[in-house]
């Protein structure tokens, strides 16, 4: 019965026939596996922890150790893997707090390249839930920073070893790919990272549709939790010119006349010590006459939305340089329900967008991060976002160290043999608690009656300041897109089960 359940859950993923488990060898010494479980019913359709340990013992003796990244909990106690485990958890479908990366890379390097173990076939075993997004981000980052692979080669290897042909890339979430690009830049410039508190000054949004909630989020609790620091209210927005996007000059500023067809994020740094949004040709001109946010054509269809500047009434200060802008579009239904029609967000890091690596660890004190709707992260790690909520976003930010209000923290990669800090693990039992309604998704949702704790914010939709929407700040949903994941052996061979073979669980 268990094997049937694993086959159903695994879908198109292939089992490693030797282990009978969902795992693959990215290289001879880097194993990626989906998260194992020690309790029922999860172990009936996932990798059983004892089966994974048995395989690793038989194949690699005592020369294996686990690195896990599950903020939702591992699903097994450390004792079941001999305590041979490193914890660096962060939420699913998101990039890691960049401050974790030097320690993750150093701890893996110390295990693999220790003179006492590296000649004896030491291996690292990395896992999140599905062994795809978070695990792929770390595996590729290690190959780039410690083995001098190119970013493209690392991503291609992970996809080739983990995914069946035709099922997409191994690492596919845009913000995680942006982080891998950051790692490549970090590794080429001395592996120095400077953590600074960041203030969000303004958001400039082109083509904003009605009913869109806009929030500023960031990491807390060493990265285990995503906190909502601010949800914009109606009085904090300035609608500039709802028809201006039809003007060619405005369209050029907004990036709407993009003939190349690309949808990559762009960042503009500002070298001045005091930032003046009025001097930037990238941003919306606040002196334009206001008009309705979403023009309606004679047929009653929405024609594209307006240009809006969001200016917070109180200062928005994030404790780290990792910044998330979150969008959710809702239409009010009836009987206490709302219809969610769009969900998207984007992460960026102000140290890298401020060209810190290229300026010898002296990033710009302020800047503008730009991105188009199509380049944002979708729902639960997918490209699906629902209906369009906006066309383009520009985030105006500045670092607080220029005001001498906060000292920047210089973070370097620990040298070989030095102690490497580790993050506190999440409660392992939570990894086996499935949340059927967890995570943001499209469709009908019960309208929140209001904030129930400090982790919830009450917000207005863009259409009405009286429509209270609850926002849960800690997104612990860990459902992942695992379709097409496959297994490989140490030599890179594809493991294709013969007719009637069972397929391992997610």
């Amino acid at each position: 019965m268990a094997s049937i359940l694993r086959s159903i859950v695994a879908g198109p993923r292939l089992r490693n026939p030797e282990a009978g488990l969902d795992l693959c060898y990215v290289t001879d010494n880097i194993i990626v596996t989906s998260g194992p479980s020690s309790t029922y019913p999860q172990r009936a359709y996932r990798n059983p922890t004892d089966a994974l340990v048995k395989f690793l013992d038989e194949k690699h003796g005592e020369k294996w150790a686990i690195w896990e990244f599950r903020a939702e909990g591992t699903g097994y106690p450390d004792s079941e893997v001999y305590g041979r485990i490193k914890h660096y958890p962060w939420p699913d479908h998101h990039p890691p707090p960049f401050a974790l990366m030097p320690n993750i890379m150093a701890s893996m390097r110390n295990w693999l390249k220790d003179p006492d173990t590296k000649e004896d076939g030491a291996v690292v075993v990395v896992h999140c839930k599905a062994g795809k997004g978070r695990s792929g981000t770390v595996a590729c980052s290690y190959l780039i920073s410690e083995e001098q692979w190119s970013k493209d080669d690392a991503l291609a290897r992970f996809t080739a070893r983990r995914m069946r042909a035709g099922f997409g890339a191994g690492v596919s979430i845009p913000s995680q790919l942006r982080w891998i690009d950051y790692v490549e830049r970090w590794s080429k410039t001395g592996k120095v990272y400077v953590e600074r508190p960041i203030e969000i000054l303004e958001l400039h949004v082109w083509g904003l549709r009605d009913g869109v909630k806009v929030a500023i989020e960031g990491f807390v609790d060493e990265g285990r939790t995503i906190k909502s620091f601010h949800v914009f209210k109606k009085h904090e927005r300035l609608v500039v010119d709802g028809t201006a996007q039809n003007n060619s000059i405005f369209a050029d500023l907004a990036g709407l006349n993009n003939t190349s067809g690309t949808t990559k994020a762009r960042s503009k740094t500002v070298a001045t010590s005091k930032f003046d949004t009025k001097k930037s040709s990238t941003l919306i001109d606040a002196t334009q006459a206001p008009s309705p946010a979403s023009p309606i054509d004679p047929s009653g269809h929405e024609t594209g939305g307006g240009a809006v500047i969001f200016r917070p009434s109180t200062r928005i200060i994030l404790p780290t340089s990792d910044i998330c802008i979150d969008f959710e579009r809702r239409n009010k239904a009836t009987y206490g329900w709302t219809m969610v029609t769009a969900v998207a967000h984007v992460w960026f890091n102000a140290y890298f967008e401020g060209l810190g690596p290229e300026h010898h660890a002296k990033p710009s004190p302020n800047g503008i991060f730009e991105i188009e709707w199509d380049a944002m992260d979708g729902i639960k790690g997918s490209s699906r976002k629902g209906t369009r909520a906006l066309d383009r976003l520009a985030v105006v930010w500045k670092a607080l160290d220029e005001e001498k209000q906060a000292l920047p923290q210089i973070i370097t990669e620990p040298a070989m043999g030095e102690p490497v800090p580790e993050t506190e693990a999440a409660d392992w039992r939570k990894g086996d608690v499935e949340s059927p309604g967890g995570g943001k998704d499209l469709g009908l949702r019960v309208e929140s009656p209001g904030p129930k704790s400090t982790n919830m914010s009450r917000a207005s939709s863009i259409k009405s300041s009286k429509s209270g929407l609850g926002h849960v700040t800690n997104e612990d949903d860990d459902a992942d897109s695992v379709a097409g994941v496959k297994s490989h052996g140490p030599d890179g061979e594809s493991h294709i089960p013969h007719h009637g073979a069972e397929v391992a669980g997610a």
Side-chain angles (χ1 to χ4, degrees):
M1 182 63 180
S3 61
I4 296 175
L5 288 174
R6 289 173 190 152
S7 298
I8 294 172
V9 171
R13 290 190 294 180
L14 303 182
R15 296 175 65 181
N16 181 315
E18 181 180 1
L21 300 169
D22 171 28
L23 63 82
C24 76
Y25 284 76
V26 179
T27 64
D28 289 348
N29 55 11
I30 300 177
I31 298 172
V32 171
T33 178
S34 59
S37 181
S38 295
T39 60
Y40 284 99
Q42 287 75 20
R43 64 175 284 127
Y45 55 84
R46 293 185 186 167
N47 286 344
T49 307
D50 54 356
L52 176 64
V53 170
K54 180 180 179 181
F55 169 77
L56 294 172
D57 284 345
E58 293 176 351
K59 192 76 173 178
H60 301 286
E62 297 182 353
K63 302 303 182 181
W64 60 269
I66 291 176
W67 273 252
E68 70 86 14
F69 316 114
R70 299 189 68 183
E72 65 274 16
T74 60
Y76 58 90
D78 290 2
S79 59
E80 293 196 4
V81 293
Y82 314 122
R84 209 181 297 152
I85 183 171
K86 301 290 185 181
H87 300 280
Y88 296 97
W90 77 87
D92 203 1
H93 312 308
H94 298 279
F98 199 87
L100 292 183
M101 295 304 287
N103 292 336
I104 296 174
M105 298 297 100
S107 60
M108 292 174 64
R109 177 210 63 209
N110 286 356
W111 177 261
L112 291 176
K113 298 188 177 183
D114 188 305
D116 295 331
T117 62
K118 69 176 183 178
E119 299 300 332
D120 297 329
V123 298
V124 297
V125 183
V126 300
H127 81 75
C128 47
K129 181 180 181 181
K132 187 176 179 292
R134 288 175 287 184
S135 297
T137 298
V138 170
C140 292
S141 295
Y142 183 85
L143 293 177
I144 293 167
S145 67
E146 309 305 321
E147 301 295 343
Q148 291 74 53
W149 288 40
S150 71
K151 177 186 68 175
D152 291 342
D153 287 346
L155 287 168
R157 168 59 72 90
F158 183 74
T159 296
R161 293 293 175 91
R162 193 65 176 137
M163 306 296 292
R164 291 182 59 185
F167 283 91
V171 181
S172 57
I173 297 174
S175 290
Q176 291 179 342
L177 291 169
R178 186 175 301 112
W179 251 242
I180 293 174
D181 182 71
Y182 290 162
V183 168
E184 185 174 51
R185 292 166 57 193
W186 169 77
S187 64
K188 290 180 177 179
T189 52
K191 296 183 178 178
V192 178
Y193 172 66
V194 180
E195 188 78 281
R196 306 175 294 171
I198 300 296
E199 181 175 3
I200 303 300
L201 302 178
E202 293 181 350
L203 302 185
H204 291 228
V205 183
W206 290 267
L208 185 70
R209 275 57 167 185
D210 285 335
V212 179
K213 184 181 71 171
V214 183
I216 309 294
E217 301 178 343
F219 290 115
V220 293
D221 300 331
E222 298 182 296
R224 291 186 298 274
T225 304
I226 296 173
K227 176 182 176 180
S228 178
F229 285 88
H230 189 82
V231 181
F232 284 97
K233 309 293 179 62
K234 186 175 181 180
H235 71 272
E236 295 175 305
R237 63 185 177 92
L238 173 64
V239 181
V240 180
D241 185 356
T243 61
Q245 70 172 6
N246 295 322
N247 180 284
S248 60
I249 297 178
F250 186 88
D252 287 337
L253 296 182
L256 301 178
N257 289 344
N258 181 5
T259 57
S260 67
T262 60
T263 58
K264 293 182 179 180
R266 300 184 301 169
S267 181
K268 179 178 180 179
T269 57
V270 183
T272 58
S273 59
K274 297 295 182 182
F275 185 75
D276 185 358
T277 59
K278 295 180 180 179
K279 296 180 181 180
S280 175
S281 61
T282 307
L283 302 175
I284 298 168
D285 182 1
T287 63
Q288 297 185 63
S291 68
S294 294
I296 304 296
D297 66 20
S299 66
H301 294 98
E302 193 173 51
T303 58
V308 179
I309 300 175
F310 290 89
R311 288 176 175 163
S313 55
T314 58
R315 299 183 75 181
I316 305 173
I317 298 174
L318 281 73
T320 73
S321 296
D322 306 303
I323 301 162
C324 178
I325 314 298
D326 183 80
F327 297 93
E328 185 177 276
R329 189 181 187 188
R330 294 187 179 190
N331 295 328
K332 187 154 186 177
T334 185
Y335 301 113
W337 292 83
T338 59
M339 175 66 75
V340 179
T341 60
V343 173
H345 67 269
V346 59
W347 284 92
F348 68 94
N349 183 285
Y351 173 74
F352 292 93
E353 300 302 332
L355 301 180
E358 292 75 19
H359 293 165
H360 307 289
K362 296 180 180 180
S364 172
N366 42 50
I368 305 169
F369 174 82
E370 303 173 62
I371 191 169
E372 297 175 12
W373 170 258
D374 292 336
M376 293 184 181
D377 299 0
I379 300 167
K380 299 182 181 179
S382 71
S383 60
R384 186 170 59 98
K385 304 181 188 70
T387 61
R388 181 175 290 268
L390 56 99
D391 294 328
R392 189 174 184 83
L393 166 71
V395 183
V396 184
W397 59 268
K398 75 170 183 179
L400 289 192
D401 57 2
E402 68 174 85
E403 300 178 1
K404 308 301 180 184
Q405 292 178 295
L407 295 176
Q409 180 185 6
I410 299 175
I411 299 173
T412 59
E413 183 183 52
M416 175 69 79
E418 290 184 353
V420 180
E422 185 180 343
T423 307
E424 182 180 350
D427 185 349
W428 69 268
R429 297 172 185 84
K430 292 183 178 180
D432 282 335
V433 176
E434 302 295 346
S435 178
K440 295 181 179 179
D441 207 341
L442 305 178
L444 282 174
R445 189 180 304 173
V446 176
E447 188 172 18
S448 170
K452 296 182 180 179
S453 70
T454 56
N455 282 339
M456 298 189 71
S457 300
R458 195 171 178 85
S460 300
S461 74
I462 203 91
K463 295 187 73 172
S464 171
S465 62
K466 297 181 181 180
S467 177
L469 306 177
H471 177 64
V472 180
T473 60
N474 183 8
E475 290 296 334
D476 282 332
D477 171 70
D478 64 355
D480 204 345
S481 175
V482 296
V485 180
K486 68 178 181 180
S487 300
H488 282 267
D491 298 324
E493 69 277 13
S494 295
H495 290 313
I496 303 176
H498 56 27
H499 181 69
E502 300 161 352
V503 183

